[in-house]
């Protein structure tokens, strides 16, 4: 089972990392703003192809190596090897990203891209009324379920076993336990509640984030932006529901052992992983960053002489956005599909890092 799970994850990471340059907007490559007039640059296309081919090669070699050594490794070593290979694929792709980021920055400076174009930032306030992102209150529903489970656990506390499961293995069976205490019986639900709150805050932040249009093609990017925001919202809610269903079931099994159907416990974690990866893949390849994969059947001539405002100065290494003057807590990623925090806004740290610290603290205290 460990072999199967890690093979899927390594293959998924490889495909996602390799495809990333082709899932982005035409006006961004390797974290660098590409002005109008240079989006079809042959050198940029060559960088993308070289990056993708190299990442795919590394990923395939990792999978072959994992299969090769799997027969001689113990279960524990198989897990460690699977984790190590994931980091190798991710680390290699990041090294390649920085390599091509620097090469593209140098090329852009050498050839003075966009020097004859007027830089503008285009927003459309009327888009808010067309926005189909889910309402914020929907993200409170999973939290209400968790609060109900907390109350239910408190009622059944005297009947709970003396050893409380705190971790479940790939087969769905518990593989770590803590002594029964008021804290240990609700620890998992507290972690779930924190995760749900974080999902809700991220959704609220992205719903209020600024909507920017491509200066030279405003109508088509308007449609793409609305699709991107809608599907981002649905994906986040879908993951929140999946996590709630899985951890909620584990909690019920802890309270009522007779509910612990072996087949369900086996299928649930695998199903969670497959559904999450499938939803992420659909979101990435069908929608793309900023809705770039959405085909818009709309005749629209590019507006000559304009290009998007060059924000490279606010993107450190093309990955980390730092802009105190931008009120948005979350902004669209530059390399990847989805959202990234604005490191210039302290509240963004609170939304992302405080929940993570609390989850680690609860895990440490168990």
């Amino acid at each position: 089972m460990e072999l199967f799970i890690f093979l899927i994850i390594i293959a998924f990471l490889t495909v996602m990392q390799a495809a990333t340059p082709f899932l982005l907007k035409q006006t961004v490559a390797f974290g660098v703003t590409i002005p109008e007039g240079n989006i079809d640059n042959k050198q940029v296309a060559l960088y993308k192809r070289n990056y993708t081919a190299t990442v795919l090669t590394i990923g395939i070699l990792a999978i072959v190596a994992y299969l090769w050594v799997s027969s001689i490794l113990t279960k524990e070593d198989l897990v460690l090897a699977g984790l190590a290979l994931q980091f190798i694929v991710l680390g290699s792709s990041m090294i390649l990203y920085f390599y091509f980021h620097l090469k593209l920055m140098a090329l852009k400076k050498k050839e003075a891209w966009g020097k004859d174009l007027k830089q503008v930032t285009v927003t459309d306030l009327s888009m808010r009324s067309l926005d189909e992102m889910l309402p914020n209150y929907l993200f409170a529903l999973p939290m209400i379920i968790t609060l109900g489970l907390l109350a239910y656990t408190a009622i059944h506390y005297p009947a709970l076993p003396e050893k409380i499961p705190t971790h479940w293995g790939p087969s769905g069976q518990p593989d770590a336990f803590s002594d029964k205490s008021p804290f240990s019986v609700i620890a998992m639900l507290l972690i779930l509640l924190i995760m749900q709150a974080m999902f809700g805050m991220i959704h609220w932040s992205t719903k209020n984030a600024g909507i920017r249009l491509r200066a030279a093609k405003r109508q088509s990017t308007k449609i793409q932006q609305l699709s991107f925001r809608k599907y981002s919202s649905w994906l986040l809610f879908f993951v929140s529901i999946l996590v709630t269903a899985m951890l909620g079931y584990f909690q019920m099994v802890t309270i009522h052992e007779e509910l612990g159907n072996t087949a369900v416990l086996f299928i649930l974690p695998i199903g969670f992983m497959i559904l999450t990866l499938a939803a992420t893949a659909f979101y990435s390849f069908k929608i793309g960053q900023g809705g770039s994969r959405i085909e818009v059947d709309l005749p629209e001539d590019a507006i000559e002489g304009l290009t998007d405002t060059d924000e490279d100065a606010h993107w450190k290494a093309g990955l980390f956005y730092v802009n105190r003057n931008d009120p948005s807590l979350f902004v669209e990623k530059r390399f990847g599909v989805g959202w990234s925090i604005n490191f210039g806004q302290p509240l963004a740290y609170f939304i992302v890092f405080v929940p993570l610290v609390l989850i680690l603290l609860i895990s440490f205290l168990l």
Side-chain angles (χ1 to χ4, degrees), residues 153 157 160-166 177-190 251 254 362 365-366:
T153 302
Y157 180 79
L160 288 172
E162 294 304 315
K163 291 291 184 182
I164 303 299
T166 56
F177 299 85
S178 288
D179 293 335
K180 176 183 172 183
S181 71
F183 175 72
S184 66
V185 300
I186 63 168
M188 185 174 65
L189 294 179
L190 292 178
Q251 184 70 10
T254 301
I362 291 172
L365 293 174
L366 280 173

Side-chain angles (χ1 to χ4, degrees), residues 56-305:
L56 282 176
T57 302
I58 292 171
I60 291 171
L61 290 175
I63 290 172
V64 171
Y66 197 46
L67 287 170
W68 189 24
V69 302
S70 62
S71 61
I72 59 175
L73 295 178
T74 63
K75 183 182 289 187
E76 290 74 18
D77 289 339
L78 198 61
V79 172
L80 291 175
L83 290 172
L85 287 171
Q86 289 179 45
F87 282 109
I88 288 173
V89 171
L90 288 174
S92 302
S93 63
M94 291 312 300
I95 290 172
L96 283 168
Y97 161 82
F98 282 118
Y99 173 73
F100 286 114
H101 172 77
L102 293 175
K103 287 182 71 72
L104 195 50
M105 288 287 285
L107 180 66
K108 179 180 177 179
K109 182 178 181 181
K110 177 184 176 183
E111 298 185 356
W113 289 357
K115 67 175 182 179
D116 298 323
L117 298 174
K118 180 181 179 181
Q119 296 184 18
V120 296
T121 299
V122 179
T123 59
D124 185 344
L125 298 179
S126 66
M127 284 180 66
R128 291 290 181 189
S129 62
L130 303 174
D131 200 353
E132 297 181 24
M133 292 186 76
L134 293 171
N136 290 321
Y137 68 79
L138 272 184
F139 285 81
L141 295 180
M143 299 179 69
I144 293 173
I145 294 173
T146 305
L147 291 173
L149 286 171
L150 280 169
Y152 191 78
T153 302
I155 293 170
H156 290 81
Y157 180 79
L160 288 172
E162 294 304 315
K163 291 291 184 182
I164 303 299
T166 56
H167 187 268
W168 284 260
S171 63
Q173 296 298 322
D175 56 9
F177 299 85
S178 288
D179 293 335
K180 176 183 172 183
S181 71
F183 175 72
S184 66
V185 300
I186 63 168
M188 185 174 65
L189 294 179
L190 292 178
I191 290 174
L192 177 59
L193 199 59
I194 292 169
M195 292 172 64
Q196 292 164 338
M198 183 170 69
F199 289 151
M201 290 294 289
I202 290 174
H203 180 262
W204 171 78
S205 302
T206 52
K207 195 175 175 70
N208 289 288
I211 307 175
R212 294 181 181 176
L213 305 179
R214 183 173 162 184
K217 290 194 173 184
R218 305 176 186 184
Q219 293 305 314
S220 56
T221 52
K222 180 178 179 178
I223 295 172
Q224 291 172 332
Q225 276 288 321
L226 290 172
S227 297
F228 170 68
R229 292 168 62 84
K230 179 176 72 174
Y231 283 102
S232 295
S233 177
W234 288 2
L235 176 64
L236 194 60
F237 185 66
F238 181 64
V239 173
S240 179
I241 292 296
L242 285 181
V243 174
T244 303
M246 185 174 69
L247 297 188
Y249 180 72
F250 286 155
Q251 184 70 10
M252 290 302 292
V253 170
T254 301
I255 299 172
H256 303 289
E257 292 185 24
E258 66 275 14
L259 295 177
N261 183 287
T262 304
V264 176
L265 285 171
F266 178 77
I267 292 172
L268 202 57
I270 302 295
F272 171 79
M273 181 188 73
I274 291 175
L275 286 175
T276 303
L277 295 183
T280 304
F282 172 83
Y283 171 68
S284 300
F285 286 95
K286 180 68 177 177
I287 309 303
Q289 182 61 346
S292 60
R293 305 276 296 177
I294 299 288
E295 293 185 6
V296 181
D297 186 16
L298 181 68
E300 182 181 23
D301 295 327
I303 302 175
E304 300 293 336

